[in-house]
Amino acid sequence: MPAAERVLLHSVTMWLLLQSLLLLLTSCLRSATAFPRGCYPSEEEGLKTFRCSNARLTEVPRDIPNDTNKLYLDSNQIPFLPRDAFRDLPLLLELDLSHNAIASVESGAFRGLAEHLHSLDLSSNRLVSVSKDAFSNLKAKVNLSNNPWLCDCQLQELIRTVDLAAGSSGGIVCDSSAQEEHIGKAFLQVIADTDFCNVYKKTTDIAMLVTMFGWFAMVISYLVYYVRQNQEDARRHLEYLKSLPSKQRRSEESSTISTVV
C-alpha cells in the first residue's frame, strides 16, 4: 500500500475514533446533568436505586428515573410534599424522606404508590398534623417518629389508618396537646386511656346544645318583650280613653273591646 494511502487511512481511522469518543463524552455529560446536583443512580441488591441524600434539596426532584425501586431523599431541606409528587414512579418500593423539614403533606402526595411501596420513612421532620387522606390506600410500613405531633383526634385517626413500621410507634410523642399532662408521652400510651375523637364529639355536642339554648333564650326574651310592650300600649290607650268625654269614651271603649276580641 502506498504511503499516501496509509496516511489517509490512518487519518480517517483517527477521525472516526475521535468522533466516537466525542459522542460518548456528550452522552455521559447529558446523563450527568439530567440529575440534580448531589443525586446519582446506582444498583443495590439488584434494585435500581436513586440517592439524593444530603443534596441540599428544597423540593422533590422531577428528573428521577421512572424505573427506580429505592429512592433516598433523606437529610435535605424539603418543606412539604405536593399532590402527585411521586406519580411517575410506579415501581418504587422504598422511599426515605427522613431528616427533612417536611411540615405539610398534601392529600394525594403518594398517589400511584399504593400497589408497590412497602416502606415509607417520614421520621425526624416537622409534622404537627396530617390528614389521614394523605395516606389513603397506602399499604407501606410508615415511620412517623420524631416529629412535633399535636395529639388530637386527627392524629388518632391517622394512626388508625396507617401501618406503622416495627419499633417506630414509641417515637410518636405528644409535643403539644389540649391536655398538658399528655405532653412528652408516647401517643399510643395516651390513647390507651383517652379517646380524643370521643372527647371532641362530646365537646361539639355541648357547644351545639349551648348554641341552641342561646337561640331559645333569645326567642323567649323577644316574646316576653313583645307581650309586655303590647300590654303597656293597651294600658296607655285605656288611660287615654278615660280622659275623654263619656259618649266618646264609650264609643272608643266599644271599639277597643271589639278590636281586642
Side-chain angles (χ1 to χ4, degrees), residues 1 50 90 138-139 175 178 196 204 245 248:
M1 180 181 292
F50 194 73
L138 204 61
K139 300 174 184 176
D175 187 72
F196 284 93
T204 304
Q248 185 178 356

Side-chain angles (χ1 to χ4, degrees), residues 93-243:
L93 302 174
E94 296 181 21
L95 175 57
D96 189 347
L97 290 160
S98 64
H99 297 89
N100 273 280
I102 300 170
S104 174
V105 180
E106 289 188 0
S107 179
F110 304 109
R111 186 160 50 192
L113 302 181
E115 294 300 321
H116 300 283
L117 192 70
H118 63 70
S119 176
L120 172 61
D121 194 345
L122 281 165
S123 63
S124 301
N125 276 281
R126 298 178 185 174
L127 295 172
V128 175
S129 184
V130 180
S131 170
K132 64 178 181 178
D133 296 334
F135 299 87
S136 180
N137 300 320
L138 204 61
K139 300 174 184 176
K141 298 286 185 180
V142 183
N143 188 345
L144 297 172
S145 62
N146 299 319
N147 281 282
W149 291 109
L150 165 63
C151 289
D152 61 359
C153 179
Q154 184 158 287
L155 179 58
Q156 183 172 314
E157 289 182 337
L158 173 63
I159 297 301
R160 288 174 175 173
T161 299
V162 301
D163 187 4
L164 295 176
S168 68
S169 61
I172 303 174
V173 176
C174 299
D175 187 72
S176 57
S177 175
Q179 300 181 37
E180 191 173 347
E181 65 268 22
H182 295 157
I183 297 175
K185 293 183 179 179
F187 186 66
L188 291 188
Q189 176 187 349
V190 171
I191 60 175
D193 302 317
T194 304
D195 187 339
F196 284 93
C197 295
N198 190 40
V199 169
Y200 174 77
K201 185 178 182 299
K202 286 181 178 178
T203 304
T204 304
D205 291 344
I206 292 171
M208 288 180 65
L209 286 173
V210 170
T211 303
M212 290 174 64
F213 178 78
W215 279 106
F216 182 73
M218 288 177 62
V219 170
I220 295 298
S221 299
Y222 175 76
L223 289 174
V224 170
Y225 169 79
Y226 179 78
V227 170
R228 286 182 177 178
Q229 187 65 32
N230 283 349
Q231 287 178 343
E232 183 66 22
D233 290 343
R235 185 185 64 79
R236 288 176 181 174
H237 187 62
L238 287 173
E239 288 179 354
Y240 167 73
L241 292 177
K242 289 177 181 179
S243 66

Side-chain angles (χ1 to χ4, degrees), residues 1-11:
M1 180 181 292
E5 289 183 4
R6 285 201 302 273
V7 171
L8 179 61
L9 181 61
H10 179 72
S11 298

